Amino acid sequence: MGFNSVNWRQKHISIGYWLGQQFQGKGIITQACAALVDHAFQEMNLHRVEISTAVENFKSRAVPERLGFKEEGIARQSAWLYDQFIDHVVYGMLAEEWKARPVK
C-alpha cells in the first residue's frame, strides 16, 4: 500500500493497496490506510485524499467506507485488469472531514 500520486498544486493525493488473500479480513489495510490519511493531512498538509477501487471488489470498497470516505462516482472503464477494462468507484476525503470524524 502507498501513495499512488500526489498533486502538490491542487493539494491532493491518491492511495492504493493490494493485500494477499491470506492476510485479508484482519483490519491490516484499514489501519494502514488510516495512518496514511493522517500523514497526508497532518504531515504533508494536503487537502484531499482519494481512493479508487474496482466496483465489484466489495472487500476493497469496504476500506474507504469504514474510514468515512464519501463515494463520489464511477470512473467508467478506468483500469485494465484481467484482460478487460473495469469500472472504478471513486471515494474522497477532505482534511476538514477527517479531522471532524468520530475516532473509534
Side-chain angles (χ1 to χ4, degrees):
M1 98 168 296
F3 295 126
N4 285 342
S5 63
V6 62
N7 182 324
W8 290 108
R9 184 170 185 198
Q10 299 299 323
K11 297 184 68 108
H12 66 81
I13 201 163
S14 65
I15 293 175
Y17 45 84
W18 197 275
L19 190 65
Q21 190 170 5
Q22 69 272 28
F23 302 108
Q24 294 175 12
K26 302 176 189 304
I28 295 167
I29 290 294
T30 301
Q31 289 178 12
C33 192
L36 282 181
V37 175
D38 277 338
H39 183 75
F41 291 139
Q42 294 174 10
E43 305 301 324
M44 299 172 76
N45 197 33
L46 297 175
H47 176 70
R48 173 183 167 78
V49 174
E50 187 174 289
I51 295 175
S52 176
T53 184
V55 169
E56 300 295 324
N57 189 341
F58 299 107
K59 288 182 179 181
S60 186
R61 291 180 64 170
V63 173
E65 290 170 3
R66 269 194 296 275
L67 292 173
F69 278 64
K70 295 194 182 338
E71 183 177 328
E72 297 180 331
I74 304 295
R76 299 176 304 134
Q77 297 186 6
S78 66
W80 181 257
L81 188 63
Y82 308 121
D83 296 325
Q84 63 181 345
F85 285 104
I86 61 165
D87 296 346
H88 268 187
V89 59
V90 178
Y91 293 91
M93 175 66 71
L94 304 178
E96 63 265 16
E97 295 169 338
W98 186 252
K99 291 174 189 167
R101 82 193 191 293
V103 178
K104 297 178 183 177

